Amino acid sequence: MPDKLSILKRYWGHTAFRPQQEEIIDSVLQGNDTMALLPTGGGKSLCYQLPTMMTDGLCLVVSPLIALMKDQVQQLNDRHMKAACIVSGLSRTDMAAVLATAVSGTLKFLYVSPERLQQRMFIEHFRAMKVCLIAVDEAHCISQWGYDFRPPYLSIADLRQYHPEVPVIALTATATPVVVQDIKQRLLMRNPRHFQSSFSRPNLGYTVVHDDNKTACLLRILKGSDGCGIVYTRSRRSTRQMADLLNAEGISAACYHAGLDARERDRRQAQWMQDKFRVMVATNAFGMGIDKPDVRFVVHLDVPNTIEAYFQEAGRAGRDGLPASAVLICSAADNEHLERSFASEFPSVKYIRNVYRALCNYYKIPLGSGADSTFDFQLDKVCDSYGFAPLDFYSACRFLERAGLVALPEREDAYSSLFVTMGREELYRLQLSNIPLGNFIQTLMRMYPGLLGAPVPIDERRIASRTMLEVADVRAMLFKLKAMHAAEYRPRPTKPQIVFSSPRIDERDIYLDELGFDALKQAAHRRLDAVKAYIANDTVCRSRQLLAYFGETVVAGDCGLCDVCRKN
């Protein structure tokens, strides 16, 4: 068997591991259940990818981030490690093709969104796969005590009965000690090995500024800073307004929020990554899977609801190890807003039941029917039709998801996919008879090596850039290939979708564990109090405060960079 370093060199081109990577990899190779807390950008994916390449079998990777899965699959295929993914929006035919490829032993990595794990088709194929490892990315999503609980993650543990000898590795960048313990229990881990890197970011200076004129404060910060950065705001409207204001002030900026068309979001993200403009003004919809190393500042114009969210968003600055800043601008009104937001996050049981009835009526689902039915998630229209406030309505939907009644849209829209169905000889004849189309196919095959084996996520803009064509022309050629029965092309939908997970029931029969509901509410309020305490505490080093929240109390000293340290 090749040793770890030769595999690292062969597939990743590296000659040494990052801190703790080798120890985590050894734990996995020894068959241990493993819990790994590593900072974003700390090389978490290598901890399951490398041992998989040293083991006979397939690694199942569960992740909630479609964009990140898409990038990982592309990178693995580019490195000649066969990978594919299954996410919401994938047709039944495409899903069956990917699963058949996994069962055949062709794939080394299968990425799956948690919503797919309970599908009968997936389970039947999973039982037949030769699995060597189950990797759970963003593992904090499995904990109801965490800030980003995703109910579908709870089904991961059910998979262990089909391959009980297969180890599980759970990976996350943000988790408190309580959440870590919950992760281990929820995944049915057996004597797990625990690895945790320090949450410390010695190059990142945290600052809290109290200023009721947030706009003027932001302009002073940006005009006194170098490089590119992110400005986070709470609402879509404020992202547009602030981007316009910054441009008027001579600071190149664009806005980003979930209300933009998916292709427009991708376009703006790509432009910012390529330094076409300096500042991205965004809601928290921006940042998942983003790894731009030279971000010099992250500014929050509105206070996040949790320390976890703030730490993750602020941590997108300075990943290249050079000095960077994270600034939180607060006003006197922020505490009141946080309390209102908390109240919206926990609507009454009566309200939740009313939302369920409205959803079923809006989509015309009769009592006892509707299981597995899918609809465009038209939140604004439902709210307008029944007089709901959007924020309260969406929070109620989250509790309906916890109750197993609906599955809400994932954070990203589904991607486009392509599957070349022609055999190699037919493709060769097609290339000879139609040279422009033949050249186009050759480019596709070079860009996406797995096209002949299973549906592969594709990016029409990337193809356009490689082929020197317009995006519209790329789509036209892909549809032409589909019409010729040379390929299955499915463009990604632009509308998020809601799935009714079970038949409609009488809303009076919706059972929400009152004690559990109250416990969740209390945990959320503790997270809210932690945010307030962080804002108010101007006597303890900011880095120390954040580290203590994550259970890291033994540190070498004050950071020397934050506003508290600079003042003292």
Side-chain angles (χ1 to χ4, degrees):
M1 177 188 295
D3 61 49
K4 296 188 296 290
L5 284 174
S6 65
I7 293 289
L8 182 68
K9 175 67 175 176
R10 176 181 174 185
Y11 290 104
W12 286 272
H14 302 316
T15 56
F17 291 103
R18 294 182 187 179
Q20 292 205 304
Q21 277 184 330
E22 187 170 14
E23 293 87 345
I24 295 169
I25 289 167
D26 284 341
S27 174
V28 172
L29 289 172
Q30 291 161 10
N32 298 312
D33 286 346
T34 305
M35 179 80 221
L37 276 79
L38 295 176
T40 302
K44 291 189 292 294
S45 60
L46 188 77
C47 294
Y48 62 83
Q49 290 174 353
L50 191 145
T52 298
M53 296 307 295
M54 298 182 66
T55 311
D56 188 21
L58 169 145
C59 176
L60 178 75
V61 187
V62 183
S63 172
L65 309 176
I66 290 179
L68 191 56
M69 283 196 278
K70 176 181 172 181
D71 289 344
Q72 291 280 353
V73 168
Q74 180 64 53
Q75 290 174 21
L76 288 166
N77 283 322
D78 286 346
R79 294 184 175 120
H80 306 290
M81 294 176 279
K82 293 188 177 180
C85 58
I86 296 174
V87 294
S88 297
L90 200 65
S91 72
R92 187 174 180 84
T93 301
D94 284 353
M95 181 175 173
V98 172
L99 290 171
T101 306
V103 171
S104 72
T106 304
L107 291 179
K108 285 298 290 180
F109 300 93
L110 177 61
Y111 285 75
V112 183
S113 60
E115 291 79 6
R116 304 306 100 200
L117 300 179
Q118 293 176 305
Q119 289 186 331
R120 183 176 301 174
M121 178 192 292
F122 173 81
I123 292 173
E124 289 175 351
H125 284 81
F126 179 73
R127 296 176 70 170
M129 295 176 196
K130 186 173 185 179
V131 181
C132 65
L133 179 63
I134 298 173
V136 183
D137 199 13
E138 306 295 335
H140 58 270
C141 294
I142 203 172
S143 175
Q144 64 176 335
W145 309 118
Y147 75 106
D148 199 16
F149 174 59
R150 309 286 184 89
Y153 260 68
L154 295 174
S155 62
I156 298 174
D158 296 337
L159 299 178
R160 303 205 70 174
Q161 63 183 303
Y162 306 117
H163 297 284
E165 75 289 350
V166 171
V168 169
I169 179 171
L171 307 112
T172 181
T174 48
T176 63
V178 171
V179 170
V180 169
Q181 187 60 33
D182 199 30
I183 291 170
K184 294 175 181 178
Q185 293 175 353
R186 296 284 184 178
L187 290 174
L188 304 179
M189 285 186 156
R190 302 176 293 254
N191 300 316
R193 296 284 307 281
H194 182 96
F195 300 90
Q196 180 170 341
S197 292
S198 172
F199 285 94
S200 177
R201 294 288 306 279
N203 64 311
L204 184 56
Y206 299 97
T207 298
V208 175
V209 179
H210 296 270
D211 194 327
D212 288 341
N213 190 340
K214 293 190 176 188
T215 300
C217 181
L218 174 66
L219 289 173
R220 288 196 301 272
I221 291 169
L222 297 190
K223 289 180 179 180
S225 303
D226 296 323
C228 69
I230 307 170
V231 174
Y232 281 109
T233 71
R234 185 169 284 116
S235 72
R236 299 176 182 182
R237 181 181 180 185
S238 62
T239 64
R240 295 190 295 269
Q241 292 175 336
M242 191 55 60
D244 289 343
L245 184 147
L246 294 181
N247 282 307
E249 291 286 335
I251 300 169
S252 60
C255 70
Y256 184 107
H257 55 76
L260 295 170
D261 176 88
R263 294 183 178 88
E264 180 61 20
R265 295 201 305 268
D266 286 352
R267 186 182 71 84
R268 295 185 187 188
Q269 176 181 314
Q271 288 180 329
W272 180 73
M273 295 288 286
Q274 297 164 8
D275 296 321
K276 297 294 178 62
F277 56 89
R278 183 183 172 205
V279 178
M280 182 70 86
V281 186
T283 63
N284 61 5
F286 181 72
M288 302 304 284
I290 303 302
D291 191 13
K292 183 172 170 60
D294 59 345
V295 177
R296 297 273 64 85
F297 56 85
V298 171
V299 180
H300 282 79
L301 280 177
D302 296 297
V303 180
N305 291 346
T306 68
I307 292 292
E308 290 93 334
Y310 176 67
F311 187 79
Q312 187 171 64
E313 290 163 6
R316 294 185 177 120
R319 291 184 181 172
D320 56 5
L322 298 177
S325 61
V327 183
L328 179 56
I329 306 176
C330 308
S331 71
D334 279 320
N335 275 356
E336 182 181 344
H337 182 89
L338 287 171
E339 289 291 349
R340 287 200 306 269
S341 177
F342 175 80
S344 295
E345 186 181 347
F346 285 89
S348 69
V349 174
K350 179 181 178 181
Y351 185 90
I352 294 168
R353 289 171 173 158
N354 289 340
V355 165
Y356 179 69
R357 182 177 67 246
L359 278 171
C360 292
N361 289 343
Y362 181 83
Y363 292 111
K364 298 180 173 59
I365 298 175
L367 201 65
S369 303
D372 296 324
S373 54
T374 302
F375 303 93
D376 290 340
F377 188 48
Q378 298 173 316
L379 183 148
D380 293 339
K381 291 183 179 179
V382 180
C383 289
D384 289 343
S385 298
Y386 295 94
F388 292 116
L391 184 58
D392 297 349
F393 175 83
Y394 190 76
S395 295
C397 288
R398 281 295 184 196
F399 280 101
L400 293 174
E401 185 175 47
R402 289 173 188 256
L405 297 171
V406 301
L408 295 178
E410 298 184 47
R411 296 204 168 184
E412 302 287 341
D413 292 328
Y415 56 78
S416 297
S417 71
L418 185 67
F419 178 21
V420 175
T421 54
M422 273 189 172
R424 292 188 182 275
E425 291 185 7
E426 293 175 295
L427 282 174
Y428 180 69
R429 287 195 293 271
L430 176 61
Q431 290 168 357
L432 291 178
S433 62
N434 189 325
I435 293 177
L437 197 58
N439 291 336
F440 181 71
I441 293 173
Q442 285 183 334
T443 301
L444 290 177
M445 301 287 279
R446 285 194 296 269
M447 292 179 68
Y448 303 101
L451 279 175
L452 282 172
V456 171
I458 62 167
D459 185 338
E460 291 90 342
R461 287 169 306 286
R462 185 166 175 256
I463 296 170
S465 175
R466 183 73 65 88
T467 57
M468 305 300 288
L469 295 170
E470 295 294 326
V471 173
D473 295 330
V474 167
R475 293 197 177 103
M477 295 185 79
L478 291 170
F479 277 119
K480 186 173 182 178
L481 288 172
K482 182 176 181 179
M484 297 169 65
H485 304 290
E488 284 293 331
Y489 169 55
R490 185 189 56 75
R492 73 175 166 188
T494 57
K495 294 180 179 178
Q497 307 215 302
I498 183 172
V499 179
F500 285 80
S501 309
S502 58
R504 178 178 179 175
I505 62 174
D506 189 306
E507 64 273 9
R508 291 171 295 185
D509 295 330
I510 294 176
Y511 176 71
L512 294 172
D513 176 4
E514 298 289 349
L515 291 176
F517 185 87
D518 288 342
L520 289 172
K521 191 171 183 177
Q522 291 169 14
H525 210 284
R526 286 194 294 271
R527 291 195 293 271
L528 182 64
D529 289 341
V531 172
K532 292 180 180 179
Y534 176 77
I535 293 170
N537 190 340
D538 61 357
T539 60
V540 177
C541 165
R542 298 288 176 192
S543 184
R544 275 187 180 274
Q545 292 184 52
L546 293 171
L547 294 176
Y549 180 82
F550 291 108
E552 192 173 331
T553 56
V554 180
V555 293
D558 291 346
C559 71
L561 298 175
C562 70
D563 59 302
V564 177
C565 289
R566 294 197 307 270
K567 179 182 66 176
N568 295 333

